[in-house]
Amino acid sequence: MAALVRLASVSKSFGAVQALKGVSFELQSGEVHALVGENGAGKSTLVKIITGAHRADSGTVEIAGQVVRHNDPAVAKALGVATIYQQPALFADLSVAENIALRMERGGLLRLVRWGWRRQRAAELLDRVGACISPDTFVRDLSMPQQQLVEIASALGAEARILIFDEPTSSLSEREVENLFRVIGELRRQGVGSIYISHRLEELPRIADRVTVLRDGGYVATRPMDEVDRAELIRQMVGRSVDAVFSKVNVPLGEVVLETRGISCAQAKVRDVSLSIRAGEILGLAGLVGAGRTELARVLFGLTPADAGQVLVRGRPVTIGSPDHAIRQGIAYVPEDRRRHGVILEMPVASNATLAILRRLATGGMIRFREERRVAESFVERLGIKTASIDSPAGNLSGGNQQKVALARWLAAEPSVIILDEPTQGVDVGAKAEIHRLMCEFAGRGMAILMISSELPEVLGMSDRIAVMHQGQIAGTLDRADATQERVLAMALGHREEGAA
């Protein structure tokens, strides 16, 4: 049987950097083939060669049974290739039917638009992917998972037979993930081939038939999914055994640094929250999507100030009415969406790393650029940030390195409390282990850490205590020794139990 995609000994360089080194890859009809590797392993380059965004320097590229010597996006699309990105590329102010039509219809500017046919065809495609969405709905009114389904429907309307899913579940709830997997499974039965890229290795046995591992631009292995476990995948991805991605180091705990007593915020839907964090402690904040974890972080940082209750810093009542107030009290916040709020992608690494201390770096309103560079270089070395230069735009860095730049910004301000919202979301297993190591290092220096995470293994593995939220309230707090996935999930669903703080 002819493969839908076959790459043989493909290589690609960018200047002196060899992004791919003799990589081979194959996708069969009706197969879900997972592609994994650390950031920088070559996954994105391989996908861009398939989609025509890059051309291979050497090797053979075969798509839909044809050897493609001069690939480009138009050629790849004509051969049935489509990509479903983490952030859907749709036009917010157009209807669903219009967005789907943009992928399907051909012709010049002066042509007859068959509006009825557009809506009918869109409805058929939406039904094919199990989406209960009206073709007349504007995209801006759709949720993220609904937009993903519209993207898939659009790809099928363009007669795509090869779908590439790039981190599709990073912002989805468990129920939404299950629905996406159901759709991919149905497409598999229809003969569509899917390349599935994800850092969430625990998902792969549920969806993938085979898995290919890349490392440092080279091919490592291709295995049937049911013959390899998570530990083996990690070993192949990083080139060494990783016994504990969650390398928690216990440190002596100090005084209570941050305490809340019954704080509430009507705007954020946070109600009567009481908790405390001690110096050197990592307090995990768990809960289901919509439980109020990020909203609580925004209250503590003054983005949506509390309208009731009390906040104490080192035992002293304080008012946090703005982020400036929080920073002055030694509170830092690294938000969930690093690309929108954590780093400024167009600015250099040096400028991003020192944004929180501009007052300290300025004399007479002028920034001392030599000092800025010295501070940035020290954090690049200390945090192991991989960048060609501190003058490189932050947008050029991998997800894990962008997260380190966001950390550097706040570490430069020398906070006593740091709030980390989904600190390892969308980063590879090696970067995840490195961020965990840094968290332990910060705790060892006496910093209090509030870690919000949707990954239960991360919460259980990295926390000294775990506070669980449900509907804007703390459902209970568990010590590390008493916490299990079952107990945390039960609290997240609103089941309070005796003995939990």
Side-chain angles (χ1 to χ4, degrees):
M1 181 174 61
L4 289 175
V5 176
R6 180 178 286 120
L7 306 183
S9 302
V10 167
S11 295
K12 178 67 179 178
S13 296
F14 300 94
V17 178
Q18 191 162 11
L20 288 178
K21 297 173 281 191
V23 170
S24 296
F25 178 84
E26 186 177 271
L27 175 69
Q28 297 288 344
S29 175
E31 177 186 34
V32 178
H33 195 142
L35 182 63
V36 301
E38 295 188 85
N39 289 329
K43 304 187 300 296
S44 295
T45 303
L46 184 143
V47 164
K48 287 177 179 178
I49 286 174
I50 295 172
T51 60
H54 294 325
R55 290 188 182 179
D57 296 333
S58 61
T60 302
V61 177
E62 186 178 314
I63 302 175
Q66 300 181 35
V67 175
V68 183
R69 293 183 173 83
H70 303 291
N71 199 13
D72 61 35
V75 170
K77 181 180 178 181
L79 291 172
V81 178
T83 304
I84 313 301
Y85 291 103
Q86 182 177 342
Q87 300 294 328
L90 300 171
F91 292 95
D93 293 319
L94 294 181
S95 70
V96 169
E98 288 170 321
N99 271 278
I100 292 175
L102 284 172
R103 300 279 188 92
M104 295 191 304
E105 296 179 8
R106 303 288 185 271
L109 293 175
L110 299 176
R111 58 193 172 91
L112 180 66
V113 175
R114 295 180 294 164
W115 293 102
W117 180 85
R118 273 188 176 182
R119 284 191 288 270
Q120 179 183 344
R121 182 61 176 147
E124 292 170 355
L125 292 167
L126 291 167
D127 182 65
R128 186 175 169 188
V129 299
C132 298
I133 303 169
S134 168
D136 296 319
T137 304
F138 284 100
V139 166
R140 64 170 175 265
D141 296 326
L142 300 180
S143 67
M144 181 68 69
Q146 287 177 317
Q147 290 185 42
Q148 282 188 335
L149 293 177
V150 172
E151 284 268 45
I152 297 170
S154 300
L156 296 179
E159 300 182 348
R161 301 292 296 167
I162 300 158
L163 295 184
I164 301 170
F165 292 88
D166 187 3
E167 298 289 348
T169 64
S170 63
S171 58
L172 303 186
S173 69
E174 182 59 31
R175 181 179 298 175
E176 292 161 349
V177 170
E178 287 297 333
N179 186 58
L180 176 65
F181 286 177
R182 181 192 60 77
V183 171
I184 294 175
E186 180 59 34
L187 295 175
R188 174 199 277 134
R189 286 186 285 276
Q190 296 172 14
V192 174
S194 298
I195 300 173
Y196 189 88
I197 301 170
S198 178
H199 290 309
R200 295 183 171 182
L201 302 184
E202 66 277 6
E203 292 179 347
L204 303 187
R206 297 160 58 188
I207 191 64
D209 301 298
R210 288 192 293 168
V211 57
T212 289
V213 182
L214 302 183
R215 183 173 71 237
D216 297 329
Y219 171 84
V220 176
T222 297
R223 299 275 298 278
M225 196 64 239
D226 58 6
E227 293 182 8
V228 62
D229 59 18
R230 185 173 183 272
E232 175 66 10
L233 282 178
I234 291 173
R235 187 192 66 76
Q236 291 181 345
M237 287 168 61
V238 302
R240 61 189 183 278
S241 176
V242 179
D243 297 323
V245 173
F246 311 114
S247 52
K248 179 73 172 77
V249 177
N250 294 321
V251 302
L253 304 185
E255 65 176 336
V256 173
V257 180
L258 177 68
E259 182 180 1
T260 68
R261 296 177 181 173
I263 65 167
S264 298
C265 176
Q267 180 183 348
K269 298 182 180 179
V270 169
R271 299 178 293 149
D272 193 27
V273 170
S274 297
L275 54 78
S276 63
I277 316 175
R278 298 169 65 181
E281 182 179 30
I282 299 177
L283 176 65
L285 191 59
L288 302 178
V289 173
R293 297 166 301 163
T294 293
E295 290 76 8
L296 176 59
R298 291 173 59 84
V299 170
L300 294 176
F301 195 60
L303 289 164
T304 49
D307 48 33
Q310 193 174 40
V311 178
L312 296 90
V313 174
R314 299 189 187 278
R316 182 172 55 86
V318 298
T319 299
I320 301 177
S322 69
D324 186 58
H325 293 167
I327 293 167
R328 291 177 186 274
Q329 296 299 332
I331 301 173
Y333 174 43
V334 180
E336 175 182 8
D337 190 341
R338 60 178 171 267
R339 294 184 68 85
R340 289 181 60 198
H341 305 129
V343 295
I344 300 175
L345 300 177
E346 297 78 12
M347 286 177 58
V349 169
S351 300
N352 269 286
T354 55
L355 271 177
I357 58 167
L358 287 180
R359 287 194 184 100
R360 192 191 309 170
L361 294 176
T363 302
M366 300 294 290
I367 296 175
R368 301 191 306 277
F369 291 106
R370 183 176 297 178
E371 178 66 7
E372 178 187 68
R373 296 181 68 83
R374 186 195 66 77
V375 171
E377 286 169 350
S378 71
F379 278 108
V380 166
E381 181 178 358
R382 176 179 164 189
L383 303 186
I385 299 171
K386 295 179 181 177
T387 177
S389 162
I390 60 172
D391 299 314
S392 299
N396 290 358
L397 274 58
S398 68
N401 284 297
Q402 287 179 9
Q403 192 73 314
K404 290 180 185 179
V405 171
L407 286 171
R409 173 193 299 180
W410 292 111
L411 294 177
E414 300 177 347
S416 53
V417 179
I418 189 164
I419 304 168
L420 303 177
D421 193 350
E422 303 288 359
T424 63
Q425 184 182 78
V427 306
D428 63 67
V429 67
K432 179 177 289 190
E434 181 65 13
I435 290 171
H436 290 159
R437 183 192 66 78
L438 291 171
M439 289 170 59
C440 292
E441 179 185 317
F442 305 157
R445 296 183 180 185
M447 194 180 296
I449 299 174
L450 177 62
M451 179 190 70
I452 301 169
S453 177
S454 298
E455 293 189 36
L456 268 182
E458 181 171 57
V459 172
L460 294 168
M462 291 302 299
S463 306
D464 295 292
R465 288 184 303 133
I466 299 168
V468 185
M469 292 196 72
H470 173 71
Q471 295 184 348
Q473 295 180 296
I474 299 293
T477 303
L478 296 168
D479 289 331
R480 177 183 177 86
D482 299 326
T484 63
Q485 291 202 28
E486 292 76 16
R487 294 187 73 182
V488 171
L489 185 57
M491 286 184 175
L493 292 170
H495 303 298
R496 295 177 180 268
E497 55 181 77
E498 294 183 11

